Each structure stands twice: as structure tokens, then as C-alpha cells.
Amino acid sequence: MRRIRQVLPSALANEELLKVARAQSAMRRWPEVVGTMLAERSFPDRYGRGTLWVAVEGSAWAQELRMMKDKILRRLNDVSGESGLFTDVRFGVRPLPPLPKPVEEIKAASEKEDLAGLSIREIAERRLAKWKDEGRD
């Protein structure tokens, strides 16, 4: 197994790998590029050799995005700070990844995980102690 210090210099010298990293940074700003409404119906799926593939909810939305292709390319290059990083964008109807869970759901799930393996009595004692800490006597 090679150590990271052996692999890192060659990875940083790989220009295509660096382009992919810069492109992914811009892809995370997709709602800023296309607007909230279109971002809810599309997702930048992958990038390779200047082309961005975008998963879209339906054919009508894909057509809408195709009509904005030049504007999207310009905005992608603007947010990436590198002109020519994105040279083409293609849209295809595919299932979108699930949206991130709201913070409250994540907190509730983590609390449930913390209670796994505890007895009912232990759970009740923890909740009572938490209520007292919050001043809910």
C-alpha cells in the first residue's frame, strides 16, 4: 500500500484531476447557476473533459434547460472562476438524488441513535435530565 505522500504529488500534477475538482466546486453552486426553481428539478450529475451531465426530473424541464444552455455555460464558468472549464452541458431525464434532510430530522435521528440499546427507564431519566437542563421543570 502506498503512502499519501507518494501519491499526492502525482495527483496534483494531473491537470484533468485538478479540473474535475474545480468543476465539482462550481457544481455545488448549481442553484446559484440556474435558480432555485430549476435546481429543484435538476442535479449536476458528473463532469468529464469539459462536459457537465445534468440529471433532470422530466423532458419538459430538460428542454427548458437546453434552451438556456449558453447562459448556463457562461454562469458555470463565471462561478468556477475559470473560463473554458465547462465547454458543454448535456441534460438527460434520470431520477434525481434525494434532497438533504432538514436539520431537525437529522437531529432527531441522531437522538434516536443515542438511545439505541438503552432501557425505557434509562431513556426516561435522560429525557427528564434534559428537560431540567432546559428549565422545563
Side-chain angles (χ1 to χ4, degrees):
M1 191 162 153
R2 295 184 343 184
R3 296 183 184 264
I4 189 132
R5 69 183 118 154
Q6 294 171 323
V7 177
L8 196 58
S10 63
L12 291 176
N14 184 340
E15 184 59 33
E16 189 60 30
L17 184 63
L18 294 174
K19 280 185 177 182
V20 170
R22 289 190 299 266
Q24 287 177 344
S25 178
M27 290 162 58
R28 284 191 285 278
R29 296 172 65 183
W30 186 246
E32 183 181 330
V33 172
V34 297
T36 307
M37 183 181 71
L38 289 171
E40 290 174 353
R41 290 161 176 82
S42 61
F43 181 79
D45 197 25
R46 66 186 192 280
Y47 170 88
R49 299 179 190 217
T51 301
L52 174 64
W53 281 270
V54 178
V56 184
E57 189 176 79
S59 58
W61 293 110
Q63 182 60 30
E64 180 75 22
L65 287 164
R66 278 187 202 101
M67 291 189 301
M68 297 175 57
K69 182 178 177 176
D70 292 335
K71 187 177 187 178
I72 291 170
L73 281 170
R74 189 172 48 257
R75 286 185 177 172
L76 282 167
N77 285 312
D78 286 347
V79 298
S80 73
E82 184 177 339
S83 112
L85 181 63
F86 293 92
T87 57
D88 194 14
V89 61
R90 297 185 184 189
F91 306 97
V93 177
R94 290 188 296 285
L96 301 180
L99 295 174
K101 291 181 180 180
V103 173
E104 292 78 24
E105 287 181 35
I106 293 169
K107 283 171 57 177
S110 68
E111 286 176 5
K112 286 179 186 175
E113 291 171 9
D114 292 341
L115 302 177
L118 298 177
S119 70
I120 293 173
R121 182 182 187 117
E122 291 168 323
I123 294 170
E125 288 171 351
R126 280 191 181 187
R127 288 189 178 161
L128 285 172
K130 182 179 176 183
W131 284 12
K132 286 180 182 179
D133 290 343
E134 294 173 352
R136 294 191 204 175
D137 296 21

